Amino acid sequence: MFTEEKKKNTNYGSILVYCFFCLVLVVGVVRFAKPYYNLQNLMETEAVMEEGLLDVDKSGMLPFIFRNHHKLSTTVREETRTRPPLSYFVKFESFATMSNLVKGNGDKYESRPFSAGGYNWTFLIYPNVDKPVGSGGYVSLYVKIDNSSLITTQNEVYAWIKFLTYKSTTDTYHELHATEAQRFHLFKQQYGMLTFLEIGYYQNPVHGFIFNGEQCVFGVDIVVSKPSAWEDASYEQNIRDPVHDWTITDFSIHDHVSYTSDTFSSGGRNWVLKVYPNGVGSATGSSLSLYLLSASNENGYVKAKLRVIDQKGSNNVEKQVEGWPNAQENGWGVDSLIPLADLEDPDKGYLVNNIIKFEVEILAFSRTKSISN
Ligand SMILES: *[C@@H]1O[C@H](CO)[C@@H](O)[C@H](O)[C@H]1NC(C)=O
Ligand SMILES: *[C@@H]1O[C@H](CO)[C@@H](O)[C@H](O)[C@H]1NC(C)=O
């Protein structure tokens, strides 16, 4: 009795264990059904398509079965190019051997660190079925940014990423890339394509992705979007110290081509005035020409009034300049400020005892601040 009882218990236990395994098996089959289906389907299609594939290849186009099988999202583009990877590539002596070896390393191959766009990166290649989960029968490719620079700067990094694999039959690279730059930061340190290319393409040399035995090449372009300089433009209107006087004693119309003032500051910028007593350009020989120049060679917008002072009365001559530099040597000015005849007229008060007085009133100017990384 006792032994029979015991035997019965054992049987119930076996049934339970058996049922448990059935359940595990069903779950397992369901879990792997999709990826295996993809792979199986691909292999079958390849067998059927082989002739068509070769025809298409001769014309230099990608075999159309890529398009049948690749689930391209609208923002991912597929290209064929001859240019090799820009940032890094990994060549495997054998795709099959690598696939086996990485099983002990989370099913991924991680490259050595390399530098691109001022950051360090690694390139991750997942050659096995459903690794990472969801990749089905595809090879997945990722890049990972070295987070040490992100931690210190708290920066975000935008980069355009292109993934490539070499195709020996056409001596080209098959490329997939997202059209938008990817954002990397402390909480998103990697980006990649879960479904880069079907594993099946690396299992038969006829497709060209494995060559010279079982070699294959995966590469990546990383182009970091980082303006090295930019400018900040503003418009200054309420100028500090807007008016500056310039007196020249011993002024001679005929002995000097030009006079240049000392540097003066107005609105926080340094300027000089430059006068051509006998005129310049269109005014040569007929009028005095006067220019305002930026001492630091700024060349934005300026609005200013230029004056010749009437030392005997109140008939100052005044002309306004407004706009971008209009004169030689980076200046804003007036070719014909005052006719030489008026200047030399002893009845008028512009040139008295060889003394001439100019005035400039700076009303506004644009300011650009240059910032560089
Ligand atoms: C990249 O790695 C090298 C070598 O480890 C290191 O010297 C360098 O500072 C790193 N650069 C950045 C931006 O993290
Ligand atoms: C930075 O990267 C290393 C290596 O991948 C990882 O172990 C570490 O957790 C990361 N740190 C942060 C803050 O993400």
Side-chain angles (χ1 to χ4, degrees):
M1 282 296 275
F2 184 70
T3 46
E4 260 202 43
E5 191 79 18
K6 197 182 174 190
K7 205 175 175 185
K8 257 188 176 170
N9 276 348
T10 312
N11 280 344
Y12 282 133
S14 305
I15 289 163
L16 271 176
V17 168
Y18 178 71
C19 286
F20 177 71
F21 274 114
C22 285
L23 191 66
V24 167
L25 200 64
V26 168
V27 170
V29 165
V30 168
R31 190 157 172 268
F32 284 106
K34 190 171 165 270
Y36 276 126
Y37 172 77
N38 278 351
L39 199 55
Q40 204 63 42
N41 197 17
L42 165 71
M43 301 308 237
E44 278 167 23
T45 315
E46 272 169 9
V48 175
M49 294 295 187
E50 211 137 276
E51 238 172 88
L53 175 73
L54 291 176
D55 281 350
V56 177
D57 270 357
K58 274 184 211 138
S59 71
M61 302 275 292
L62 281 169
F64 59 86
I65 59 169
F66 275 132
R67 289 168 224 286
N68 287 349
H69 285 270
H70 212 287
K71 300 158 222 145
L72 290 184
S73 82
T74 51
T75 54
V76 172
R77 296 275 178 279
E78 182 185 291
E79 314 258 353
T80 301
R81 75 182 215 200
T82 52
R83 205 161 21 95
L86 193 63
S87 307
Y88 205 71
F89 69 87
V90 176
K91 186 185 123 209
F92 295 111
E93 286 304 320
S94 162
F95 182 86
T97 307
M98 188 262 298
S99 310
N100 274 327
L101 290 181
V102 298
K103 282 181 180 148
N105 184 40
D107 282 279
K108 69 165 186 283
Y109 180 91
E110 181 161 7
S111 77
R112 296 175 182 219
F114 60 93
S115 155
Y119 296 89
N120 288 331
W121 307 79
T122 53
F123 185 25
L124 310 179
I125 298 151
Y126 292 80
N128 290 329
V129 170
D130 209 31
K131 297 292 182 321
V133 171
S135 63
Y138 285 80
V139 170
S140 310
L141 301 179
Y142 284 80
V143 284
K144 190 164 89 182
I145 191 164
D146 175 2
N147 60 29
S148 55
S149 52
L150 300 181
I151 292 165
T152 49
T153 61
Q154 299 281 316
N155 264 350
E156 295 181 331
V157 176
Y158 285 83
W160 281 276
I161 311 291
K162 294 180 173 180
F163 293 109
L164 305 147
T165 189
Y166 180 67
K167 188 172 186 207
S168 65
T169 44
T170 50
D171 191 22
T172 55
Y173 289 88
H174 170 61
E175 172 197 302
L176 281 191
H177 67 267
T179 50
E180 292 300 315
Q182 303 301 317
R183 181 165 160 252
F184 296 86
H185 53 86
L186 211 45
F187 311 119
K188 187 177 182 296
Q189 298 172 10
Q190 64 178 50
Y191 162 76
M193 296 210 177
L194 195 60
T195 55
F196 174 70
L197 191 59
E198 288 91 336
I199 293 166
Y201 282 109
Y202 298 94
Q203 293 172 337
N204 186 340
V206 73
H207 309 299
F209 295 103
I210 54 174
F211 53 95
N212 294 347
E214 292 188 336
Q215 290 180 7
C216 62
V217 171
F218 296 97
V220 64
D221 288 358
I222 300 177
V223 176
V224 173
S225 161
K226 189 162 69 173
S228 55
W230 65 92
E231 64 183 61
D232 183 9
S234 57
Y235 180 68
E236 306 281 326
Q237 243 178 327
N238 300 312
I239 307 293
R240 235 177 328 117
D241 309 319
V243 179
H244 178 74
D245 301 318
W246 181 30
T247 300
I248 306 176
T249 54
D250 251 353
F251 184 77
S252 160
I253 294 175
H254 303 291
D255 293 350
H256 280 74
V257 175
S258 68
Y259 295 82
T260 302
S261 75
D262 290 338
T263 301
F264 61 95
S265 174
S266 177
R269 180 176 289 178
N270 288 332
W271 310 88
V272 292
L273 284 170
K274 188 169 185 181
V275 60
Y276 292 81
N278 197 32
V280 75
S282 60
T284 306
S286 61
S287 292
L288 174 147
S289 311
L290 183 65
Y291 301 96
L292 173 68
L293 287 85
S294 157
S296 50
N297 282 326
E298 302 285 345
N299 59 5
Y301 166 97
V302 167
K303 184 172 169 183
K305 286 176 174 168
L306 296 169
R307 299 184 187 112
V308 184
I309 303 300
D310 179 1
Q311 299 169 57
K312 288 181 178 170
S314 55
N315 289 323
N316 294 346
V317 173
E318 175 186 290
K319 287 200 176 162
Q320 182 166 310
V321 289
E322 178 172 6
W324 307 85
N326 66 330
Q328 61 177 16
E329 293 172 30
N330 197 21
W332 300 262
V334 183
D335 285 351
S336 305
L337 183 60
I338 180 172
L340 293 184
D342 286 351
L343 204 59
E344 293 179 299
D345 185 343
D347 292 339
K348 298 191 172 169
Y350 303 113
L351 187 58
V352 180
N353 300 325
N354 287 340
I355 294 172
I356 190 166
K357 292 185 171 179
F358 299 107
E359 198 174 271
V360 58
E361 182 176 358
I362 298 176
L363 304 170
F365 60 85
S366 68
R367 190 193 287 282
T368 60
K369 192 161 60 174
S370 193
I371 299 152
S372 59
N373 278 331

